[in-house]
Amino acid sequence: MGKFIGQAVKRVEDKRFLTGKGRYTDDIVLPNMTYAKIVRSPYAHAKINSVDISAAKMYPGVVEVFTGKDIADSGIAGVPCGWQVDFKNGDTMKEPPHPLLVADKVRHVGDAVAVVIAETKEIARDAADMVEVDYEELPAVTDAAEAAKTGAPLVHDDVPNNTCYDWGLGDEAATNAAIDKADHVTTLEFVNQRLVPNAIEPRAAIGDYDPIRENYTLYTSSQNPHLIRLLMCAFVLGIPEHKVRVVSPDVGGGFGSKIFHYTEEALVIWASNKIGRPVKWTAERSESFITDAHGRDHVTKAEMGFDKDGNVMALRVKTFANMGAYLSTFSTCVPTYLHGTLLQGLYTTPAIYVDVTATFTNTTAVDAYRGAGRPEATYLLERLFDNAAREMNMDPAELRLKNFIPPFDGVSEPGYQTQVALQYDSGNYQGVLKRALEMLDYDGLRKEQAEARKNGRLIGIGISTYIEACGIAPSAVVGSLGARAGLYESAQVRIQPTGKVSVYTGSHSHGQGHETTFAQVVADRLGVALEDVEVIHGDSESVAFGMGTYGSRSLAVGGSAIVKSIDKVLEKGARIAAHKLEASVDDLEYEGGHWTVKGTDKSIAFGDVALTAYVPHDYPEGEEPGMDFASFYDPANFTYPFGAHIAVVEVDPETGKVDLKRFVAVDDVGNVINPMIVDGQIHGGVVQGVGQALFEGAIYDDNGQLVNGSYMDYCMPRADDFPMIETDRTVTPCPHNPLGVKGAGEAGAIGSTPAVVNAVLDALSDYNVNDIRMPLTPERVWAAMQNGNH
């Protein structure tokens, strides 16, 4: 812990947000700006016979109307997928075009058919209602497993059985043999339901073409401005990257849903060029429900084998993963490299095999949502362990402790090599669970539970342990696995002549607090005041390149790039200081913002060295002026945070309503820069994870209509649904990055969901209920109680 590192510094960015001074994409008004309204399909699957735009074009105030034919005539194929996953036999995955505007047939409710551009958004909305589309409705399919069956409606005519790819990982033969030899096999068939991300700020995009310079500017509510520029320029519009500036100003939440390159971003850039004026599009909330990439949606059968003593022997998994109607940017890697590779969990399972079939359906595209594959893997493992403990009459905590990987630090011994490709960096998995049990007073609570049950009260205790892989890495390896971009990060640290510090980072902040935590790292390392550090992000013109924010990567990858640049600053500063102090660099030490000659009182301040760098009158020979350094950091491995979450619930036996009484979260995210921000991340993640367990779930009918596509019908967790979340941490530093940090942003959403479901099923243990489909609404819980063998 330093002067700033490890301190609960209040977020410096909050002042502008709390005073209403944030600047979001929709706040931006450019001269001569126009407004776009997209005409979207009301059908999940339909052939387009004709599109009549004549009335809309005649409407006063309408600037232009474009259709899918206009896009096709321009030679634009559509937005790409950013990760290629091949079939088991080596065939390339099926990647049908995802057009900016559809010309032939629509494939999900909300598919874009035309765009109306007008002087005001009200005119655009009115004129969009005048576009006449003649649809011929077709049968739809929405379930991932059903889509793969012979005879299912084809979402894309050239994709047999709607199968994007099939994929396997692990030793199938060894796994099958171990399952066959197991003394006990626990089997679970379940659905990890689809979720709508619901960021507080709807997506927005502004395209602005400058005909004089022939340059473009895209303002977009994105987590990933540089990647958007790369994909849009190289794969969609064919514009040289140096001609495109992408700006992501303040962004009101993302949770993964704003990582991806959406069609609307390329559409407003293309349209701005066509009309010679800026074009703004802002989603309405109803649009967000049907166009923001959804999350989860797996149909799974999992089997776990144990020997007679409760030692886990094998895990076999078959999953159907729903891709939706089109491939989103990272959609293909979520059920494979972010899910299948995490099925080791915290356990010593010696044989694992996972088989994934990804299918297209007539639904909104599915991609990364807070946790992205890791929540699905953790849910699978932790539900199996709880059910196995119940079936073998063992305590669920003891069964986990019995099967945990032993502690390792990744320094004195190598990391732990899993059966599913990854090598964990460091971990003490027993430590987090034992601490959580201690905080809960587990043994005492079990006694209280038994007494409560005698009085007709249904108390349940649910345990979940998890591990996740953060900061996808390294670039060379993930590139060989199909990633179509590098996964490094960049940072530039510029020391101003006054000693103030400007930090340019390719990571993007949309709630994580980068402007605070990155400043803490810089201030601590340089010994300057926190208020003397400015963090700049979200503008491709200011920051040369970056890979954005997702996968809990920012501090481990972006922060490490900053540290590399700081080291370069200190190296040059030492050379200047040595010259000024008439000493050798080796004789200097740096502390508290001063270089000092060891054993003397001779010193020079950081600010004086900074000024000397720009006013080099008395300067080392051959040293260039200035103090401005850029670095790229490509991590050697993922980081692997882990933790243990325990939920305590009470189920109303009359109504099935679940009341969350306590929630304990003990997480290990490596070294911690700002404990207050980490706690906030854990709290937010827990709420989202519990939201999946008890409240949330997108529901499609047989016609492909999203029947709960508004807040009137889609249930979101609220503050009064939760007790105070009890948090603690252990610290197992990451051995391969300079800060020793691991990811924290998604941990709460990964561990919390199975903890709550396990708690509810523990409360219903007398009812012989081994599973309830999420979300565990009162109706579903009550029905399970009636159908059980109480």
Side-chain angles (χ1 to χ4, degrees):
M1 184 177 290
K3 183 178 180 181
F4 296 109
I5 288 179
Q7 304 299 325
V9 175
K10 289 184 179 180
R11 293 181 8 144
V12 299
E13 52 267 75
D14 281 350
K15 181 177 180 180
R16 72 174 183 274
F17 296 137
L18 294 174
T19 56
K21 302 299 183 183
R23 185 172 182 260
Y24 301 88
T25 299
D26 192 55
D27 293 327
I28 297 169
V29 179
L30 302 177
N32 208 26
M33 190 164 72
T34 62
Y35 298 83
K37 174 66 178 177
I38 296 173
V39 179
R40 299 190 181 277
S41 170
Y43 299 106
H45 198 195
K47 180 182 177 183
I48 298 174
N49 291 324
S50 64
V51 181
D52 186 352
I53 62 174
S54 56
K57 291 192 74 167
M58 295 287 291
Y59 193 72
V62 169
V63 177
E64 187 56 274
V65 182
F66 297 110
T67 68
K69 182 179 182 303
D70 298 309
I71 298 294
D73 290 346
S74 295
I76 300 171
V79 296
C81 177
W83 199 299
Q84 180 177 308
V85 176
D86 291 335
F87 282 82
K88 287 188 232 178
N89 66 6
D91 288 350
T92 302
M93 72 180 188
K94 302 297 184 182
E95 185 180 358
H98 185 182
L100 309 189
L101 297 172
V102 177
D104 55 352
K105 74 170 182 174
V106 295
R107 295 173 173 86
H108 70 95
V109 172
D111 222 350
V113 175
V115 60
V116 176
I117 301 169
E119 299 292 350
T120 70
K121 58 185 176 182
E122 292 79 13
I123 293 172
R125 187 182 299 119
D126 290 343
D129 290 338
M130 298 179 178
V131 175
E132 297 287 342
V133 185
D134 180 17
Y135 295 101
E136 181 182 329
E137 191 172 4
L138 301 169
V141 62
T142 61
D143 180 271
E146 293 296 320
K149 292 181 179 178
T150 302
L154 291 181
V155 181
H156 300 274
D157 295 340
D158 56 350
V159 179
N161 298 109
N162 293 308
T163 300
C164 176
Y165 59 79
D166 62 25
W167 177 88
L169 181 65
D171 190 329
E172 184 176 15
T175 301
N176 291 339
I179 291 286
D180 290 341
K181 292 178 183 177
D183 294 290
H184 178 86
V185 177
T186 293
T187 301
L188 187 62
E189 296 186 49
F190 63 93
V191 173
N192 202 302
Q193 84 274 30
R194 177 183 291 242
L195 302 175
V196 180
N198 286 305
I200 195 169
E201 177 209 17
R203 288 189 298 113
I206 303 170
D208 183 18
Y209 175 64
D210 180 351
I212 304 301
R213 299 175 61 203
E214 297 184 332
N215 284 355
Y216 299 81
T217 301
L218 172 67
Y219 302 89
T220 179
S221 50
S222 173
Q223 301 174 215
N224 221 347
H226 292 88
L227 186 62
I228 301 306
R229 183 181 65 174
L230 170 63
L231 295 176
M232 184 173 66
C233 291
F235 297 100
V236 185
L237 299 180
I239 305 170
E241 279 191 72
H242 71 278
K243 291 287 188 179
V244 177
R245 175 190 181 194
V246 177
V247 181
S248 293
D250 290 326
V251 173
F255 314 118
S257 70
K258 293 176 182 173
I259 300 171
F260 325 120
H261 180 28
Y262 286 95
T263 56
E264 295 88 358
E265 293 165 325
L267 183 61
V268 295
I269 284 289
W270 177 84
S272 177
N273 174 279
K274 291 298 181 184
I275 70 170
R277 295 172 61 182
V279 179
K280 176 193 278 190
W281 169 81
T282 302
E284 298 177 1
R285 183 57 67 178
S286 58
E287 279 185 288
S288 297
F289 267 95
I290 58 176
T291 64
D292 289 6
H294 294 174
R296 316 287 191 255
D297 206 345
H298 287 189
V299 179
T300 295
K301 178 181 179 181
E303 302 161 280
M304 182 172 279
F306 295 85
D307 68 15
K308 60 183 175 56
D309 297 319
N311 297 301
V312 64
M313 296 176 63
L315 172 68
R316 182 167 60 201
V317 177
K318 173 60 186 178
T319 287
F320 289 90
N322 200 331
M323 297 286 100
Y326 303 103
L327 294 183
S328 181
T329 306
F330 290 126
S331 57
T332 51
C333 75
V334 173
T336 52
Y337 296 107
L338 298 182
H339 168 252
T341 58
L342 269 297
L343 289 175
Q344 187 82 51
L346 305 183
Y347 307 110
T348 56
T349 313
I352 301 171
Y353 184 72
V354 54
D355 182 295
V356 177
T357 299
T359 57
F360 293 104
T361 63
N362 296 114
T363 61
T364 300
V366 177
D367 208 317
Y369 171 69
R370 199 169 192 169
R374 289 94 85 199
E376 296 92 315
T378 298
Y379 187 81
L380 183 159
L381 290 169
E382 296 307 298
R383 289 287 299 109
L384 281 171
F385 258 86
D386 249 45
N387 277 17
R390 194 173 298 117
E391 292 166 3
M392 293 188 293
N393 197 28
M394 296 181 68
D395 181 89
E398 289 301 321
L399 183 61
R400 287 174 169 85
L401 289 166
K402 184 182 188 69
N403 285 285
F404 276 159
I405 296 164
F408 61 102
D409 61 16
V411 177
S412 59
E413 68 271 282
Y416 183 84
Q417 181 61 54
T418 73
Q419 304 300 314
V420 277
L422 301 181
Q423 185 178 70
Y424 296 163
D425 54 358
S426 61
N428 180 2
Y429 309 136
Q430 292 89 341
V432 287
L433 180 54
K434 288 180 178 179
R435 176 59 184 140
L437 296 171
E438 178 186 20
M439 290 172 65
L440 192 73
D441 183 17
Y442 182 68
D443 292 337
L445 189 58
R446 283 295 185 192
K447 293 175 183 176
E448 292 180 27
Q449 178 190 34
E451 287 300 314
R453 190 154 295 179
K454 293 177 184 177
N455 297 318
R457 294 177 61 205
L458 303 179
I459 304 294
I461 304 167
I463 297 171
S464 169
T465 60
Y466 74 90
I467 190 167
E468 62 163 325
C470 302
I472 302 173
S475 292
V477 173
V478 296
S480 69
L481 298 177
R484 291 170 173 170
L487 294 162
Y488 47 80
E489 196 48 85
S490 74
Q492 179 181 2
V493 175
R494 178 179 299 160
I495 310 302
Q496 307 292 352
T498 56
K500 311 301 184 187
V501 186
S502 298
V503 179
Y504 300 86
T505 174
S507 300
H508 186 277
S509 181
H510 43 277
Q512 293 86 352
H514 294 170
E515 293 172 40
T516 303
T517 51
F518 285 171
Q520 285 179 257
V521 170
V522 173
D524 201 272
R525 293 241 167 180
L526 293 181
V528 300
L530 191 68
E531 56 268 24
D532 287 347
V533 181
E534 178 188 23
V535 177
I536 299 102
H537 62 92
D539 187 342
S540 66
E541 194 167 84
S542 300
V543 181
F545 206 81
M547 294 306 298
T549 293
Y550 51 87
S552 301
R553 73 189 298 270
S554 295
L555 195 57
V557 186
S560 294
I562 291 171
V563 169
K564 286 185 69 176
S565 290
I566 292 172
D567 289 345
K568 294 174 184 178
V569 167
L570 291 174
E571 288 169 8
K572 181 170 185 177
R575 294 195 297 272
I576 298 172
H579 176 81
K580 299 288 285 186
L581 295 171
E582 299 180 337
S584 165
V585 169
D586 294 336
D587 291 334
L588 299 184
E589 57 186 5
Y590 187 77
E591 185 177 354
H594 290 78
W595 281 275
T596 303
V597 180
K598 297 173 185 176
T600 74
D601 59 358
K602 293 177 61 178
S603 69
I604 185 170
F606 178 81
D608 293 331
V609 169
L611 182 61
T612 301
Y614 289 94
V615 187
H617 295 159
D618 182 10
Y619 208 60
E621 185 177 349
E623 193 76 60
E624 291 184 4
M627 194 172 285
D628 187 344
F629 292 99
S631 301
F632 284 81
Y633 178 76
D634 193 358
N637 191 4
F638 293 83
T639 68
Y640 296 91
F642 56 92
H645 291 185
I646 305 179
V648 181
V649 305
E650 182 167 1
V651 177
D652 188 327
E654 301 297 325
T655 67
K657 184 179 185 300
V658 177
D659 184 16
L660 184 60
K661 310 295 288 186
R662 289 183 67 185
F663 196 95
V664 172
V666 179
D667 301 279
D668 193 315
V669 298
N671 292 333
V672 172
I673 304 300
N674 189 316
M676 179 185 68
I677 287 178
V678 169
D679 284 345
Q681 292 276 27
I682 299 299
H683 285 199
V686 165
V687 168
Q688 285 184 279
V690 175
Q692 176 173 14
L694 298 181
F695 306 109
E696 296 187 51
I699 302 170
Y700 282 94
D701 68 14
D702 292 340
N703 296 316
Q705 296 292 328
L706 181 61
V707 299
N708 59 341
S710 77
Y711 291 137
M712 293 291 289
D713 305 296
Y714 189 95
C715 186
M716 297 282 287
R718 305 183 308 179
D720 61 0
D721 294 317
F722 292 84
M724 181 58 69
I725 297 167
E726 305 165 54
T727 61
D728 200 2
R729 274 181 292 279
T730 62
V731 178
T732 309
C734 173
H736 63 72
N737 70 56
L739 291 167
V741 296
K742 303 184 179 186
E746 296 166 293
I750 295 169
S752 57
T753 307
V756 170
V757 174
N758 284 340
V760 173
L761 293 169
D762 182 59
L764 304 184
S765 58
D766 289 346
Y767 290 79
N768 196 30
V769 177
N770 77 338
D771 191 44
I772 303 173
R773 182 167 175 166
M774 295 188 291
L776 275 60
T777 61
E779 178 186 15
R780 287 179 175 174
V781 175
W782 183 86
M785 294 166 69
Q786 308 315 303
N787 295 329
N789 299 320
H790 181 50

